[in-house]
Amino acid sequence: MKELSTSVGPPNRARLVLAGSLAMALVVLAAVLIWAALHLRRSITAEINNRAGEILDSVAAAQALDDRQSGETLTTLDDPTEQIQLALKVSRLRDVIGVRLFAPDGKFVNAFPAYVAESTLAPGDLAVLQNLTPVNHFLPHSRLEEQELLPETNGPAVPLLVVDIPLRADDQLRLVGIIQFIMNGSSMARQYAALDRQLAEQFGIAFVVAGGILSCALILAFGRLQRANRLLAQRTGDLQRANRELTLAAKTSAVGTVTSYLIHGLKNPLSGLQNFVRDRAAEDNHEDAEVWEAAAATTQRMQDLISRIVGILQEQSDAANYEITFAELGELLAARMKPISHAAGVHWETRISAAGSVPNREAGLILLILENLAQNAIEATPAGKSVCCAISARGSSILAQISDEGPGLPAAAREQLFSPCASSKKNGSGIGLAISQQLAKHICAELVLISSTPQGTCFELRFQPAVQAPLSSASEKTDHSTAK
């Protein structure tokens, strides 16, 4: 209950928890928005770069086509002279600082103006150009001497755009040369700066709006959780007081035994409430609906258990008498156990081969015994394995067996199996089997351990039915199973 006391304890600690939760949520939100902004920026800048290369490639192709149609070319573009003439015409475009010409294998051929020094193509760029695709490189802070464009040194850093375009043969399927344009990148740098400002403004607004909504949602959820924790703590205290009162009032009679069973049944749901409150206080990434759903499910489980116990107590004092067949008994047990086994990933199977019936009062106590044994079996069985309830006849007796495929009981636990406060489970109270044995004695039945091995454990409840069915109907059999 440590976490519970934190959430309903001093206001300062509660405010610290809320502030820490908000800070973590806002940090995560900011990280997500920054990542999205950077990813979007990379996509847009790549599109801008590609557009520059595509434009120059289209201009060069159009100029080459116009030269052929006007008769200005003497040979094809395979001739370096024609390539240089084409590069000179295209270089008249604004912002072109220098031009280099390369052979199809990437070797340097020529450059102009004269101060543009010889250079080489990067192997990765050459592979792309050989596929007839332009290549672009934007250098936001580059010195001209580093690009071998001027003989002077220590010049100011300027933005440059280097665009390599492929020259195609007349059939447009073969690379015949490469023109590299070194351009002033100031206009592109201005585009990038405008893009950065726009992204910063948009994602800043998104952070403020989303952060405000998230903060309001967390504050509201935290307030509702605190109210729920206070309510659960109050109900937990009420249940604990009720358990103590029922323990003091429990006797060795059937009513006292049923009351003890009620205490035993309330323990696990109560523990679930406490674990829920502790875990929910430590975590703040669940939706509020999930919190109420878990609390409602646990409360409903306790209410159902109490309702069944009250019904049995009423039947003990009620004058109404009726019979319940063994098939109906198996169906009632399966209806209660299947949701538990399904949640644990355990197969549930019911086999009924005995005919006949038992009075309603006796049937209620039998169901309590079998339900306790079945719940223990499900808890001991690994996911994917099976738990089986088999009800059969042997002579005049009825045998109800609950068998599992768990690891078996420890040797020390078998020696005092039905003793109170002796349990092989980590958080067990040790009174479940003791209560079940008392209930069995009340209806003149016998509860025994048939076997316990590493392959599984089997308990058997032996009793005499109040009404025997004819032998002709003994072949009646029902079989139910629930998959994982």
Side-chain angles (χ1 to χ4, degrees):
M1 294 296 293
K2 181 178 180 182
E3 294 296 331
L4 176 61
S5 63
T6 298
S7 54
V8 297
N12 289 337
R13 298 188 65 181
R15 284 194 290 269
L16 286 176
V17 172
L18 177 59
S21 303
L22 283 174
M24 290 182 62
L26 293 176
V27 167
V28 172
L29 176 64
V32 172
L33 289 177
I34 290 173
W35 176 85
L38 293 177
H39 180 74
L40 180 61
R41 185 184 187 279
R42 284 194 297 269
S43 300
I44 296 176
T45 54
E47 182 66 25
I48 293 174
N49 285 342
N50 292 337
R51 184 176 60 189
E54 291 170 357
I55 291 174
L56 278 177
D57 188 35
S58 299
V59 170
Q63 184 64 53
L65 178 62
D66 183 68
D67 290 345
R68 287 197 301 270
Q69 291 178 348
S70 62
E72 294 183 16
T73 58
L74 300 177
T75 61
T76 64
L77 275 179
D78 294 81
D79 188 352
T81 303
E82 293 294 333
Q83 296 175 9
I84 292 175
Q85 292 298 322
L86 176 62
L88 286 171
K89 293 178 181 178
V90 177
S91 66
R92 291 195 297 265
L93 293 173
R94 188 180 63 179
D95 294 334
V96 175
I97 298 174
V99 177
R100 292 190 181 99
L101 182 65
F102 297 92
D105 58 0
K107 293 181 179 180
F108 177 80
V109 175
N110 202 348
F112 54 88
Y115 56 75
V116 177
E118 180 179 345
S119 183
T120 58
L121 289 174
D125 293 349
L126 181 60
V128 176
L129 290 164
Q130 288 175 343
N131 291 325
L132 304 181
T133 302
V135 175
N136 311 273
H137 294 289
F138 177 67
L139 308 174
H141 303 286
S142 180
R143 299 184 182 277
L144 296 179
E145 63 269 19
E146 293 175 354
Q147 303 299 321
E148 300 180 347
L149 295 177
L150 291 173
E152 294 85 357
T153 58
N154 300 322
V158 296
L160 292 179
L161 177 63
V162 180
V163 181
D164 300 331
I165 63 170
L167 296 178
R168 302 167 182 82
D170 292 340
D171 56 8
Q172 299 290 315
L173 299 176
R174 180 169 51 87
L175 180 69
V176 296
I178 300 168
I179 300 178
Q180 182 180 84
F181 293 96
I182 300 98
M183 307 177 65
N184 187 340
S186 299
S187 61
M188 185 167 290
R190 287 191 294 271
Q191 293 183 51
Y192 284 173
L195 174 63
D196 291 339
R197 287 192 300 271
Q198 186 176 8
L199 289 176
E201 292 174 359
Q202 292 179 350
F203 282 89
I205 294 173
F207 177 77
V208 172
V209 174
I213 295 174
L214 181 60
S215 299
C216 293
L218 284 176
I219 292 172
L220 291 175
F222 189 80
R224 296 184 66 181
L225 180 60
Q226 281 192 309
R227 292 193 293 272
N229 287 344
R230 287 192 291 268
L231 179 60
L232 289 174
Q234 179 182 356
R235 291 184 177 179
T236 298
D238 294 340
L239 288 172
Q240 289 174 335
R241 287 191 295 272
N243 283 344
R244 289 193 294 268
E245 293 173 0
L246 288 174
T247 300
L248 294 175
K251 306 297 181 181
T252 55
S253 62
V255 175
T257 304
V258 172
T259 305
S260 299
Y261 184 87
L262 174 60
I263 298 173
H264 173 63
L266 284 176
K267 178 182 179 298
N268 287 337
L270 179 59
S271 176
L273 284 176
Q274 293 171 341
N275 291 337
F276 160 71
V277 173
R278 183 176 61 252
D279 294 341
R280 192 60 183 85
E283 298 176 0
D284 60 347
N285 56 350
H286 292 287
E287 295 294 335
D288 191 54
E290 297 179 357
V291 175
W292 286 106
E293 182 179 354
T298 305
T299 306
Q300 185 62 45
R301 180 182 172 190
M302 289 187 292
Q303 291 175 346
D304 292 342
L305 178 60
I306 294 173
S307 298
R308 290 200 297 271
I309 299 298
V310 172
I312 292 174
L313 292 175
Q314 291 176 346
E315 286 183 349
Q316 298 297 319
S317 58
D318 195 355
N321 294 318
Y322 55 92
E323 299 293 326
I324 296 180
T325 65
F326 296 119
E328 293 171 342
L329 194 68
E331 290 175 356
L332 288 172
L333 181 63
R336 296 177 185 178
M337 292 295 104
K338 283 182 179 180
I340 300 176
S341 65
H342 180 76
V346 174
H347 298 271
W348 174 263
E349 186 176 2
T350 306
R351 298 176 183 173
I352 311 298
S353 60
S357 62
V358 290
N360 60 309
R361 299 177 183 178
E362 185 177 346
L365 297 179
I366 292 173
L367 270 177
L368 285 180
I369 299 171
L370 296 180
E371 185 176 351
N372 183 53
L373 296 175
Q375 187 162 350
N376 289 343
I378 291 172
E379 292 175 355
T381 302
K385 299 291 186 177
S386 299
V387 171
C388 178
C389 172
I391 301 179
S392 60
R394 181 186 297 170
S396 60
S397 299
I398 298 297
L399 309 180
Q401 294 184 346
I402 301 292
S403 57
D404 62 55
E405 295 180 356
L409 296 170
R414 297 177 208 167
E415 297 176 358
Q416 47 181 357
L417 193 60
F418 299 102
S419 299
C421 301
S423 176
S424 61
K425 294 188 292 184
K426 181 179 181 180
N427 296 319
S429 62
I431 65 172
L433 289 177
I435 293 173
S436 296
Q437 190 182 55
Q438 290 184 20
L439 291 173
K441 290 179 179 179
H442 180 72
I443 59 174
C444 300
E446 184 181 9
L447 179 60
V448 295
L449 174 64
I450 297 298
S451 64
S452 182
T453 67
Q455 287 73 41
T457 301
C458 178
F459 282 91
E460 184 178 271
L461 178 66
R462 304 170 186 167
F463 60 94
Q464 295 286 337
V467 179
Q468 281 290 103
L471 292 177
S472 59
S473 63
S475 60
E476 178 184 358
K477 182 179 180 179
T478 61
D479 189 354
H480 309 276
S481 63
T482 298
K484 180 179 176 181

mmCIF file of all heavy atoms in Angstrom, residues 18-62:
data_model
loop_
_atom_site.group_PDB
_atom_site.id
_atom_site.type_symbol
_atom_site.label_atom_id
_atom_site.label_comp_id
_atom_site.label_asym_id
_atom_site.label_seq_id
_atom_site.Cartn_x
_atom_site.Cartn_y
_atom_site.Cartn_z
ATOM 1 N N LEU A 18 2.431 14.745 -9.708
ATOM 2 C CA LEU A 18 1.783 15.340 -10.872
ATOM 3 C C LEU A 18 2.768 16.165 -11.693
ATOM 4 O O LEU A 18 2.791 16.079 -12.935
ATOM 5 C CB LEU A 18 0.612 16.206 -10.414
ATOM 6 C CG LEU A 18 -0.131 16.973 -11.517
ATOM 7 C CD1 LEU A 18 -0.691 16.004 -12.551
ATOM 8 C CD2 LEU A 18 -1.243 17.828 -10.925
ATOM 9 N N ALA A 19 3.595 16.981 -11.005
ATOM 10 C CA ALA A 19 4.569 17.810 -11.729
ATOM 11 C C ALA A 19 5.580 16.948 -12.481
ATOM 12 O O ALA A 19 5.928 17.236 -13.639
ATOM 13 C CB ALA A 19 5.296 18.736 -10.751
ATOM 14 N N GLY A 20 6.052 15.879 -11.838
ATOM 15 C CA GLY A 20 6.983 14.988 -12.526
ATOM 16 C C GLY A 20 6.355 14.322 -13.726
ATOM 17 O O GLY A 20 6.978 14.167 -14.792
ATOM 18 N N SER A 21 5.104 13.914 -13.588
ATOM 19 C CA SER A 21 4.402 13.287 -14.706
ATOM 20 C C SER A 21 4.237 14.251 -15.870
ATOM 21 O O SER A 21 4.445 13.900 -17.044
ATOM 22 C CB SER A 21 3.037 12.772 -14.246
ATOM 23 O OG SER A 21 3.171 11.874 -13.175
ATOM 24 N N LEU A 22 3.844 15.491 -15.542
ATOM 25 C CA LEU A 22 3.683 16.495 -16.601
ATOM 26 C C LEU A 22 5.010 16.780 -17.292
ATOM 27 O O LEU A 22 5.068 16.906 -18.531
ATOM 28 C CB LEU A 22 3.120 17.783 -16.000
ATOM 29 C CG LEU A 22 1.625 17.811 -15.684
ATOM 30 C CD1 LEU A 22 1.242 19.096 -14.974
ATOM 31 C CD2 LEU A 22 0.808 17.653 -16.963
ATOM 32 N N ALA A 23 6.079 16.904 -16.507
ATOM 33 C CA ALA A 23 7.387 17.187 -17.097
ATOM 34 C C ALA A 23 7.811 16.079 -18.047
ATOM 35 O O ALA A 23 8.283 16.335 -19.164
ATOM 36 C CB ALA A 23 8.429 17.374 -15.987
ATOM 37 N N MET A 24 7.637 14.837 -17.610
ATOM 38 C CA MET A 24 8.014 13.713 -18.472
ATOM 39 C C MET A 24 7.171 13.689 -19.743
ATOM 40 O O MET A 24 7.683 13.458 -20.845
ATOM 41 C CB MET A 24 7.853 12.403 -17.704
ATOM 42 C CG MET A 24 8.864 12.202 -16.586
ATOM 43 S SD MET A 24 8.656 10.626 -15.743
ATOM 44 C CE MET A 24 8.960 9.499 -17.109
ATOM 45 N N ALA A 25 5.869 13.927 -19.601
ATOM 46 C CA ALA A 25 4.999 13.919 -20.781
ATOM 47 C C ALA A 25 5.383 15.025 -21.762
ATOM 48 O O ALA A 25 5.413 14.811 -22.987
ATOM 49 C CB ALA A 25 3.546 14.064 -20.347
ATOM 50 N N LEU A 26 5.690 16.220 -21.244
ATOM 51 C CA LEU A 26 6.070 17.332 -22.123
ATOM 52 C C LEU A 26 7.419 17.094 -22.789
ATOM 53 O O LEU A 26 7.625 17.464 -23.951
ATOM 54 C CB LEU A 26 6.086 18.640 -21.330
ATOM 55 C CG LEU A 26 4.723 19.141 -20.835
ATOM 56 C CD1 LEU A 26 4.878 20.394 -19.989
ATOM 57 C CD2 LEU A 26 3.794 19.407 -22.014
ATOM 58 N N VAL A 27 8.349 16.479 -22.065
ATOM 59 C CA VAL A 27 9.649 16.161 -22.667
ATOM 60 C C VAL A 27 9.471 15.164 -23.813
ATOM 61 O O VAL A 27 10.058 15.302 -24.895
ATOM 62 C CB VAL A 27 10.609 15.602 -21.592
ATOM 63 C CG1 VAL A 27 11.839 14.973 -22.237
ATOM 64 C CG2 VAL A 27 11.037 16.710 -20.640
ATOM 65 N N VAL A 28 8.651 14.140 -23.580
ATOM 66 C CA VAL A 28 8.396 13.155 -24.640
ATOM 67 C C VAL A 28 7.719 13.817 -25.831
ATOM 68 O O VAL A 28 8.071 13.574 -27.000
ATOM 69 C CB VAL A 28 7.531 12.003 -24.091
ATOM 70 C CG1 VAL A 28 7.095 11.078 -25.223
ATOM 71 C CG2 VAL A 28 8.311 11.211 -23.054
ATOM 72 N N LEU A 29 6.727 14.690 -25.558
ATOM 73 C CA LEU A 29 6.049 15.396 -26.650
ATOM 74 C C LEU A 29 7.026 16.251 -27.439
ATOM 75 O O LEU A 29 7.008 16.265 -28.683
ATOM 76 C CB LEU A 29 4.921 16.246 -26.067
ATOM 77 C CG LEU A 29 4.171 17.138 -27.069
ATOM 78 C CD1 LEU A 29 3.452 16.294 -28.098
ATOM 79 C CD2 LEU A 29 3.177 18.045 -26.340
ATOM 80 N N ALA A 30 7.892 16.996 -26.740
ATOM 81 C CA ALA A 30 8.873 17.835 -27.431
ATOM 82 C C ALA A 30 9.821 16.991 -28.274
ATOM 83 O O ALA A 30 10.153 17.360 -29.418
ATOM 84 C CB ALA A 30 9.661 18.654 -26.408
ATOM 85 N N ALA A 31 10.264 15.856 -27.732
ATOM 86 C CA ALA A 31 11.175 14.995 -28.488
ATOM 87 C C ALA A 31 10.502 14.470 -29.755
ATOM 88 O O ALA A 31 11.110 14.433 -30.834
ATOM 89 C CB ALA A 31 11.640 13.826 -27.607
ATOM 90 N N VAL A 32 9.245 14.089 -29.649
ATOM 91 C CA VAL A 32 8.519 13.597 -30.825
ATOM 92 C C VAL A 32 8.360 14.696 -31.868
ATOM 93 O O VAL A 32 8.557 14.476 -33.077
ATOM 94 C CB VAL A 32 7.145 13.032 -30.399
ATOM 95 C CG1 VAL A 32 6.301 12.710 -31.622
ATOM 96 C CG2 VAL A 32 7.324 11.784 -29.558
ATOM 97 N N LEU A 33 7.996 15.898 -31.420
ATOM 98 C CA LEU A 33 7.808 17.001 -32.368
ATOM 99 C C LEU A 33 9.127 17.405 -33.028
ATOM 100 O O LEU A 33 9.168 17.705 -34.229
ATOM 101 C CB LEU A 33 7.193 18.201 -31.647
ATOM 102 C CG LEU A 33 5.725 18.043 -31.218
ATOM 103 C CD1 LEU A 33 5.261 19.270 -30.451
ATOM 104 C CD2 LEU A 33 4.831 17.814 -32.433
ATOM 105 N N ILE A 34 10.216 17.423 -32.266
ATOM 106 C CA ILE A 34 11.523 17.756 -32.847
ATOM 107 C C ILE A 34 11.926 16.718 -33.884
ATOM 108 O O ILE A 34 12.413 17.057 -34.976
ATOM 109 C CB ILE A 34 12.580 17.872 -31.734
ATOM 110 C CG1 ILE A 34 12.320 19.114 -30.877
ATOM 111 C CG2 ILE A 34 13.989 17.937 -32.325
ATOM 112 C CD1 ILE A 34 13.211 19.222 -29.662
ATOM 113 N N TRP A 35 11.720 15.445 -33.532
ATOM 114 C CA TRP A 35 12.047 14.394 -34.512
ATOM 115 C C TRP A 35 11.217 14.553 -35.780
ATOM 116 O O TRP A 35 11.736 14.429 -36.900
ATOM 117 C CB TRP A 35 11.784 13.025 -33.882
ATOM 118 C CG TRP A 35 11.997 11.886 -34.848
ATOM 119 C CD1 TRP A 35 13.161 11.259 -35.144
ATOM 120 C CD2 TRP A 35 10.986 11.288 -35.679
ATOM 121 N NE1 TRP A 35 12.960 10.294 -36.092
ATOM 122 C CE2 TRP A 35 11.629 10.284 -36.449
ATOM 123 C CE3 TRP A 35 9.623 11.490 -35.839
ATOM 124 C CZ2 TRP A 35 10.937 9.491 -37.348
ATOM 125 C CZ3 TRP A 35 8.935 10.708 -36.753
ATOM 126 C CH2 TRP A 35 9.600 9.717 -37.493
ATOM 127 N N ALA A 36 9.932 14.843 -35.631
ATOM 128 C CA ALA A 36 9.069 15.020 -36.804
ATOM 129 C C ALA A 36 9.511 16.228 -37.632
ATOM 130 O O ALA A 36 9.518 16.180 -38.873
ATOM 131 C CB ALA A 36 7.622 15.167 -36.356
ATOM 132 N N ALA A 37 9.900 17.328 -36.942
ATOM 133 C CA ALA A 37 10.342 18.522 -37.665
ATOM 134 C C ALA A 37 11.623 18.242 -38.446
ATOM 135 O O ALA A 37 11.759 18.649 -39.614
ATOM 136 C CB ALA A 37 10.549 19.675 -36.683
ATOM 137 N N LEU A 38 12.580 17.567 -37.827
ATOM 138 C CA LEU A 38 13.830 17.254 -38.523
ATOM 139 C C LEU A 38 13.588 16.319 -39.700
ATOM 140 O O LEU A 38 14.191 16.477 -40.772
ATOM 141 C CB LEU A 38 14.822 16.625 -37.541
ATOM 142 C CG LEU A 38 15.334 17.558 -36.427
ATOM 143 C CD1 LEU A 38 16.247 16.786 -35.482
ATOM 144 C CD2 LEU A 38 16.075 18.749 -37.024
ATOM 145 N N HIS A 39 12.719 15.337 -39.488
ATOM 146 C CA HIS A 39 12.406 14.408 -40.585
ATOM 147 C C HIS A 39 11.746 15.151 -41.749
ATOM 148 O O HIS A 39 12.090 14.930 -42.919
ATOM 149 C CB HIS A 39 11.486 13.301 -40.059
ATOM 150 C CG HIS A 39 11.110 12.300 -41.107
ATOM 151 N ND1 HIS A 39 11.986 11.338 -41.573
ATOM 152 C CD2 HIS A 39 9.950 12.119 -41.805
ATOM 153 C CE1 HIS A 39 11.385 10.602 -42.496
ATOM 154 N NE2 HIS A 39 10.155 11.054 -42.655
ATOM 155 N N LEU A 40 10.806 16.053 -41.433
ATOM 156 C CA LEU A 40 10.148 16.828 -42.483
ATOM 157 C C LEU A 40 11.143 17.752 -43.172
ATOM 158 O O LEU A 40 11.096 17.926 -44.405
ATOM 159 C CB LEU A 40 8.994 17.622 -41.863
ATOM 160 C CG LEU A 40 8.196 18.496 -42.824
ATOM 161 C CD1 LEU A 40 7.546 17.649 -43.915
ATOM 162 C CD2 LEU A 40 7.119 19.278 -42.065
ATOM 163 N N ARG A 41 12.047 18.363 -42.403
ATOM 164 C CA ARG A 41 13.036 19.255 -43.006
ATOM 165 C C ARG A 41 13.936 18.503 -43.978
ATOM 166 O O ARG A 41 14.256 19.003 -45.073
ATOM 167 C CB ARG A 41 13.875 19.912 -41.908
ATOM 168 C CG ARG A 41 14.849 20.956 -42.442
ATOM 169 C CD ARG A 41 15.728 21.524 -41.335
ATOM 170 N NE ARG A 41 16.546 22.619 -41.804
ATOM 171 C CZ ARG A 41 17.685 22.477 -42.477
ATOM 172 N NH1 ARG A 41 18.157 21.241 -42.726
ATOM 173 N NH2 ARG A 41 18.372 23.533 -42.881
ATOM 174 N N ARG A 42 14.383 17.295 -43.569
ATOM 175 C CA ARG A 42 15.220 16.509 -44.493
ATOM 176 C C ARG A 42 14.479 16.206 -45.785
ATOM 177 O O ARG A 42 15.056 16.253 -46.879
ATOM 178 C CB ARG A 42 15.663 15.207 -43.808
ATOM 179 C CG ARG A 42 16.764 15.399 -42.790
ATOM 180 C CD ARG A 42 17.386 14.068 -42.414
ATOM 181 N NE ARG A 42 16.408 13.187 -41.772
ATOM 182 C CZ ARG A 42 16.203 13.139 -40.468
ATOM 183 N NH1 ARG A 42 16.891 13.927 -39.652
ATOM 184 N NH2 ARG A 42 15.325 12.302 -39.960
ATOM 185 N N SER A 43 13.209 15.879 -45.674
ATOM 186 C CA SER A 43 12.434 15.557 -46.876
ATOM 187 C C SER A 43 12.299 16.769 -47.786
ATOM 188 O O SER A 43 12.459 16.669 -49.015
ATOM 189 C CB SER A 43 11.048 15.036 -46.469
ATOM 190 O OG SER A 43 11.153 13.875 -45.678
ATOM 191 N N ILE A 44 11.994 17.937 -47.192
ATOM 192 C CA ILE A 44 11.789 19.136 -48.016
ATOM 193 C C ILE A 44 13.096 19.602 -48.636
ATOM 194 O O ILE A 44 13.146 19.963 -49.827
ATOM 195 C CB ILE A 44 11.160 20.252 -47.154
ATOM 196 C CG1 ILE A 44 9.765 19.828 -46.688
ATOM 197 C CG2 ILE A 44 11.084 21.556 -47.948
ATOM 198 C CD1 ILE A 44 9.103 20.825 -45.754
ATOM 199 N N THR A 45 14.198 19.603 -47.852
ATOM 200 C CA THR A 45 15.488 20.043 -48.409
ATOM 201 C C THR A 45 15.969 19.100 -49.514
ATOM 202 O O THR A 45 16.560 19.548 -50.507
ATOM 203 C CB THR A 45 16.540 20.121 -47.303
ATOM 204 O OG1 THR A 45 16.594 18.856 -46.602
ATOM 205 C CG2 THR A 45 16.219 21.222 -46.320
ATOM 206 N N ALA A 46 15.717 17.807 -49.348
ATOM 207 C CA ALA A 46 16.084 16.870 -50.413
ATOM 208 C C ALA A 46 15.296 17.162 -51.678
ATOM 209 O O ALA A 46 15.833 17.099 -52.800
ATOM 210 C CB ALA A 46 15.837 15.429 -49.948
ATOM 211 N N GLU A 47 14.010 17.539 -51.501
ATOM 212 C CA GLU A 47 13.194 17.883 -52.664
ATOM 213 C C GLU A 47 13.708 19.159 -53.331
ATOM 214 O O GLU A 47 13.753 19.260 -54.570
ATOM 215 C CB GLU A 47 11.738 18.054 -52.204
ATOM 216 C CG GLU A 47 10.770 18.360 -53.324
ATOM 217 C CD GLU A 47 10.612 17.212 -54.303
ATOM 218 O OE1 GLU A 47 10.859 16.049 -53.907
ATOM 219 O OE2 GLU A 47 10.259 17.477 -55.469
ATOM 220 N N ILE A 48 14.116 20.138 -52.519
ATOM 221 C CA ILE A 48 14.652 21.383 -53.093
ATOM 222 C C ILE A 48 15.946 21.099 -53.863
ATOM 223 O O ILE A 48 16.155 21.605 -54.986
ATOM 224 C CB ILE A 48 14.895 22.412 -51.976
ATOM 225 C CG1 ILE A 48 13.564 22.846 -51.365
ATOM 226 C CG2 ILE A 48 15.650 23.624 -52.510
ATOM 227 C CD1 ILE A 48 13.709 23.751 -50.147
ATOM 228 N N ASN A 49 16.838 20.318 -53.279
ATOM 229 C CA ASN A 49 18.091 19.983 -53.958
ATOM 230 C C ASN A 49 17.834 19.249 -55.266
ATOM 231 O O ASN A 49 18.437 19.541 -56.313
ATOM 232 C CB ASN A 49 18.963 19.131 -53.048
ATOM 233 C CG ASN A 49 19.602 19.945 -51.938
ATOM 234 O OD1 ASN A 49 19.680 21.161 -52.017
ATOM 235 N ND2 ASN A 49 20.036 19.269 -50.885
ATOM 236 N N ASN A 50 16.956 18.256 -55.211
ATOM 237 C CA ASN A 50 16.660 17.484 -56.427
ATOM 238 C C ASN A 50 16.045 18.364 -57.506
ATOM 239 O O ASN A 50 16.313 18.177 -58.700
ATOM 240 C CB ASN A 50 15.716 16.334 -56.096
ATOM 241 C CG ASN A 50 16.380 15.284 -55.216
ATOM 242 O OD1 ASN A 50 17.605 15.170 -55.204
ATOM 243 N ND2 ASN A 50 15.587 14.525 -54.485
ATOM 244 N N ARG A 51 15.232 19.312 -57.065
ATOM 245 C CA ARG A 51 14.605 20.195 -58.050
ATOM 246 C C ARG A 51 15.654 21.022 -58.795
ATOM 247 O O ARG A 51 15.552 21.225 -60.013
ATOM 248 C CB ARG A 51 13.614 21.114 -57.331
ATOM 249 C CG ARG A 51 12.826 22.030 -58.270
ATOM 250 C CD ARG A 51 11.806 22.825 -57.488
ATOM 251 N NE ARG A 51 12.477 23.651 -56.486
ATOM 252 C CZ ARG A 51 11.835 24.333 -55.535
ATOM 253 N NH1 ARG A 51 10.518 24.249 -55.433
ATOM 254 N NH2 ARG A 51 12.522 25.086 -54.679
ATOM 255 N N ALA A 52 16.684 21.512 -58.076
ATOM 256 C CA ALA A 52 17.739 22.299 -58.741
ATOM 257 C C ALA A 52 18.451 21.461 -59.797
ATOM 258 O O ALA A 52 18.732 21.931 -60.920
ATOM 259 C CB ALA A 52 18.733 22.805 -57.701
ATOM 260 N N GLY A 53 18.785 20.206 -59.448
ATOM 261 C CA GLY A 53 19.448 19.340 -60.427
ATOM 262 C C GLY A 53 18.562 19.031 -61.609
ATOM 263 O O GLY A 53 19.027 19.001 -62.769
ATOM 264 N N GLU A 54 17.280 18.782 -61.354
ATOM 265 C CA GLU A 54 16.367 18.466 -62.456
ATOM 266 C C GLU A 54 16.196 19.648 -63.398
ATOM 267 O O GLU A 54 16.103 19.478 -64.626
ATOM 268 C CB GLU A 54 15.011 18.040 -61.875
ATOM 269 C CG GLU A 54 15.052 16.700 -61.147
ATOM 270 C CD GLU A 54 13.767 16.421 -60.383
ATOM 271 O OE1 GLU A 54 12.885 17.334 -60.399
ATOM 272 O OE2 GLU A 54 13.639 15.344 -59.791
ATOM 273 N N ILE A 55 16.171 20.864 -62.813
ATOM 274 C CA ILE A 55 16.022 22.049 -63.670
ATOM 275 C C ILE A 55 17.242 22.215 -64.577
ATOM 276 O O ILE A 55 17.113 22.436 -65.803
ATOM 277 C CB ILE A 55 15.817 23.302 -62.795
ATOM 278 C CG1 ILE A 55 14.448 23.245 -62.103
ATOM 279 C CG2 ILE A 55 15.945 24.576 -63.629
ATOM 280 C CD1 ILE A 55 14.219 24.371 -61.108
ATOM 281 N N LEU A 56 18.456 22.132 -64.012
ATOM 282 C CA LEU A 56 19.661 22.267 -64.837
ATOM 283 C C LEU A 56 19.752 21.155 -65.878
ATOM 284 O O LEU A 56 20.173 21.388 -67.022
ATOM 285 C CB LEU A 56 20.899 22.262 -63.951
ATOM 286 C CG LEU A 56 21.258 23.592 -63.287
ATOM 287 C CD1 LEU A 56 22.454 23.424 -62.379
ATOM 288 C CD2 LEU A 56 21.541 24.658 -64.342
ATOM 289 N N ASP A 57 19.357 19.944 -65.497
ATOM 290 C CA ASP A 57 19.381 18.824 -66.451
ATOM 291 C C ASP A 57 18.424 19.091 -67.601
ATOM 292 O O ASP A 57 18.743 18.853 -68.779
ATOM 293 C CB ASP A 57 19.012 17.534 -65.721
ATOM 294 C CG ASP A 57 19.215 16.303 -66.601
ATOM 295 O OD1 ASP A 57 20.167 16.300 -67.411
ATOM 296 O OD2 ASP A 57 18.420 15.355 -66.484
ATOM 297 N N SER A 58 17.240 19.614 -67.274
ATOM 298 C CA SER A 58 16.266 19.916 -68.333
ATOM 299 C C SER A 58 16.755 21.046 -69.232
ATOM 300 O O SER A 58 16.580 21.024 -70.463
ATOM 301 C CB SER A 58 14.922 20.291 -67.700
ATOM 302 O OG SER A 58 14.423 19.222 -66.929
ATOM 303 N N VAL A 59 17.394 22.080 -68.638
ATOM 304 C CA VAL A 59 17.926 23.206 -69.431
ATOM 305 C C VAL A 59 19.009 22.704 -70.380
ATOM 306 O O VAL A 59 19.048 23.085 -71.574
ATOM 307 C CB VAL A 59 18.473 24.299 -68.493
ATOM 308 C CG1 VAL A 59 19.251 25.342 -69.289
ATOM 309 C CG2 VAL A 59 17.325 24.954 -67.735
ATOM 310 N N ALA A 60 19.916 21.850 -69.878
ATOM 311 C CA ALA A 60 20.981 21.338 -70.740
ATOM 312 C C ALA A 60 20.413 20.486 -71.858
ATOM 313 O O ALA A 60 20.863 20.581 -73.024
ATOM 314 C CB ALA A 60 21.973 20.523 -69.900
ATOM 315 N N ALA A 61 19.428 19.652 -71.544
ATOM 316 C CA ALA A 61 18.831 18.814 -72.597
ATOM 317 C C ALA A 61 18.120 19.662 -73.636
ATOM 318 O O ALA A 61 18.201 19.395 -74.850
ATOM 319 C CB ALA A 61 17.856 17.817 -71.960
ATOM 320 N N ALA A 62 17.403 20.706 -73.164
ATOM 321 C CA ALA A 62 16.706 21.584 -74.110
ATOM 322 C C ALA A 62 17.690 22.354 -74.989
ATOM 323 O O ALA A 62 17.461 22.537 -76.197
ATOM 324 C CB ALA A 62 15.805 22.551 -73.330
#
